[in-house]
Amino acid sequence: MKAGVDVGPTNTDAALLGHADAILSTVKVASVPGDPVASVTAALGRLGAPPLAQVAVGLRGAASAVDDRRGLYKVAVLRIGGHEAQAVRPLFGWPEDLLRAVCAGTAIVDGGGGLDREDWTPLDTVAVARFAAGVAGRAQAVAITGLFSPLDAEQELEAADIVRAELGELPVALSADLGSLGLIERENATVLDAALSGFATDVAARLAAALSPVTAVHVTRGDGTLMSLEHLARHPGLSLGSGPASMLRGAGVLTGLEDAVVADVGARRVRVGALAGGFPEEAPGGARIGGVPVGLRIPELIRVPRPFEPAELAEAVDRMQPGADRLPLVVVGGGERAVPGGLHPAHGTAAGAIGAATSPVGGQYERVVRLPDRSDLPAALEAVIEEARASAVRAGADPRHVRILEAADTPLAYLPGPFVRLRARAAGPPAQL
C-alpha cells in the first residue's frame, strides 16, 4: 500500500491507495501552522494506514517560505560572465523585503564570454576567492550562475570548488542543475534554490525520522513528478509550484483524462490550470515566485478570487483552453460545489494527495549544442536523453523502469551559428527500499 499527502495552508489531505492505485480511503485534517511534518503525521495517523511501501508528500512550505520571507538562508550570489553579464545586475527588480531576507552580497566575475570554446575567457579564480572570503560569516549558502552554463557548466563547478575551499561545506546551488536558458530567470531560481536549503534540509530530516525506515518517502515537484528526500535537500527549488502540480495530476487520475482544464476551488480562490499528456501545462518562460521571475517548470495558473462571478471563472477556463477543440473541465477542491458545471469526480477534495501518490519520479536535462552537421543530432540528443534518465534515477526512480516522456530539439535562430537547444524529460516509478 502507499499513501499521498497534500499539505495545504489550512487543511492537509491524505489518501490511501492499494493494488493498481485503487483508492481505499481519504481523510482531511487541520494543518499544523508552520509545521508541514506535523501536518503529515497527523493526516497519516487519521488515515490509520498499515505499514506503507511508499509515502508521497505534497509540500507547499517552500513557496510559503518565499512568500512570507521567513526561514530563508542568506545567499551570496556569484555571476560568471564578465562584461557580457553586466547589463542587469544580480537580483535586479527583487522586492525590497525579499532582497533583505536573502541577499548576503553579489559579485560578477570574469569568465565564459563566448559561444565558441576558443572565445571563452578563463575564470577569474582570484576574484571568486576574494568574493567568498568577503561574504564569510554572512552567507549561509551560495548561488553560482554562469552566463554560458547551458553550453558548458565547467566554470560553475570550478567556482564551486573555490567557494567550498574558502567557506567550507555551505550549500552551493549551481544554475546548470536547474537547466533553463534565460540568465535572469535561471539566476533567480538558483538563488531561491540556495535560500531554501535550510528549510529543505530540516523538512527532509524530520520526515525521514517521522516515518518508518522501511517506507520510501518522496516529495512532489513543480513539474508533476516526485523526488526523494535527498534530492529535495540538494534542490529545494524544484518543489516550488508542486501543490498545484499534484492537484492537476490528481484531477487527471480521478477522471482518466490526460488532457483537461482543471479548476481547483479553495476557500479563498479558484486556481485554473491545464493538463497536457497527463502532466501540468507549464507556464511559458517560467513563472513568478515571491515577486521574481524564475526559470523553473511550474504549472501555468490563472487565479480567480472568491467570491467570483460566473463570467470571471468562465473567462479563466476559456483562456486555459489550448484551441478551438475544447477540453473538458474538471472541478476539484474543497469548495467544488461552488462551481456547478464540469466534471466532479469522486474524491475530488483530495485530488492533491491522490496526485502525489500516483506520480512518477522525474528528471530532466537540457543544454545548448553547436551542430554544424545536422547528422550529428541523433547522437547529441541521445546523450541528453541519457542525462535525463540519469537525473530521474538520482531523484529516486527505479532505474529498471525509467521511460522517456519527451525528447526535443529546437534550433536557436537568434544565435549566430548552428546552435540547437536539446531537451529531454524522463520518469519512472519510485525505487523501493
Side-chain angles (χ1 to χ4, degrees), residues 351-396:
I354 293 163
T358 55
S359 290
V361 176
Q364 67 244 339
Y365 187 76
E366 69 177 79
R367 63 176 301 195
V368 175
V369 299
R370 187 185 185 108
L371 288 177
D373 187 346
R374 290 286 293 182
S375 66
D376 295 332
L377 177 60
L381 187 57
E382 184 59 33
V384 169
I385 287 171
E386 288 306 310
E387 289 288 350
R389 196 188 308 274
S391 175
V393 172
R394 286 194 299 271

Side-chain angles (χ1 to χ4, degrees), residues 189-428:
T190 307
V191 174
L192 292 182
D193 197 56
L196 288 164
S197 297
F199 163 83
T201 301
D202 175 69
V203 168
R206 292 180 59 215
L207 274 174
L211 299 177
S212 168
V214 299
T215 300
V217 185
H218 297 80
V219 296
T220 55
R221 304 165 54 144
D223 65 355
T225 64
L226 303 175
M227 59 183 167
S228 66
L229 294 180
E230 293 78 12
H231 207 71
L232 169 68
R234 289 193 299 267
H235 300 297
L238 296 178
S239 69
L240 293 167
S242 62
S246 297
M247 173 273 298
L248 290 164
R249 286 271 305 164
V253 169
L254 290 170
T255 57
L257 295 171
E258 290 202 335
D259 302 282
V261 175
V262 180
D264 175 31
V265 187
R268 292 174 291 183
R269 62 188 176 187
V270 183
R271 298 180 298 186
V272 182
L275 274 175
F279 287 88
E281 188 72 49
E282 296 173 5
R288 298 184 75 87
I289 297 290
V292 299
V294 294
L296 294 169
R297 294 182 175 92
I298 290 174
E300 181 179 12
L301 296 173
I302 298 174
R303 293 171 172 85
V304 180
R306 293 192 66 182
F308 57 86
E309 295 292 332
E312 292 179 276
L313 184 57
E315 180 183 357
V317 171
D318 285 344
R319 287 171 57 190
M320 293 306 301
Q321 293 286 353
D325 295 332
R326 293 183 66 82
L327 298 177
L329 172 65
V330 181
V331 184
V332 296
E336 61 172 319
R337 293 182 180 177
V339 180
L343 303 174
H344 292 248
H347 305 295
T349 57
I354 293 163
T358 55
S359 290
V361 176
Q364 67 244 339
Y365 187 76
E366 69 177 79
R367 63 176 301 195
V368 175
V369 299
R370 187 185 185 108
L371 288 177
D373 187 346
R374 290 286 293 182
S375 66
D376 295 332
L377 177 60
L381 187 57
E382 184 59 33
V384 169
I385 287 171
E386 288 306 310
E387 289 288 350
R389 196 188 308 274
S391 175
V393 172
R394 286 194 299 271
D398 186 335
R400 300 167 299 175
H401 300 292
V402 173
R403 62 188 177 94
I404 301 302
L405 301 177
E406 173 193 9
D409 62 280
T410 307
L412 300 178
Y414 57 86
L415 293 180
F419 287 95
V420 180
R421 176 194 182 192
L422 304 177
R423 175 184 177 183
R425 296 170 57 222

Side-chain angles (χ1 to χ4, degrees), residues 98-239:
L98 184 59
L99 194 64
R100 287 193 301 271
V102 169
C103 183
T106 67
I108 302 174
V109 301
D110 284 340
L115 294 170
D116 291 312
R117 188 72 182 178
E118 57 268 22
D119 297 332
W120 276 47
T121 302
L123 177 67
D124 188 342
T125 57
V126 173
V128 174
R130 183 169 57 245
F131 173 68
V135 299
R138 299 201 313 271
Q140 297 168 287
V142 180
I144 301 175
T145 304
L147 177 60
F148 289 95
S149 69
L151 281 164
D152 191 329
E154 179 181 325
Q155 291 190 349
E156 286 191 3
L157 294 169
E158 185 181 359
D161 288 340
I162 296 169
V163 165
R164 291 190 178 101
E166 290 287 336
L167 300 178
E169 289 301 317
L170 291 183
V172 178
L174 305 181
S175 80
D177 292 336
L178 299 176
S180 64
L181 297 185
L183 172 65
I184 301 304
E185 294 81 2
R186 176 162 43 90
E187 182 175 66
N188 288 344
T190 307
V191 174
L192 292 182
D193 197 56
L196 288 164
S197 297
F199 163 83
T201 301
D202 175 69
V203 168
R206 292 180 59 215
L207 274 174
L211 299 177
S212 168
V214 299
T215 300
V217 185
H218 297 80
V219 296
T220 55
R221 304 165 54 144
D223 65 355
T225 64
L226 303 175
M227 59 183 167
S228 66
L229 294 180
E230 293 78 12
H231 207 71
L232 169 68
R234 289 193 299 267
H235 300 297
L238 296 178
S239 69

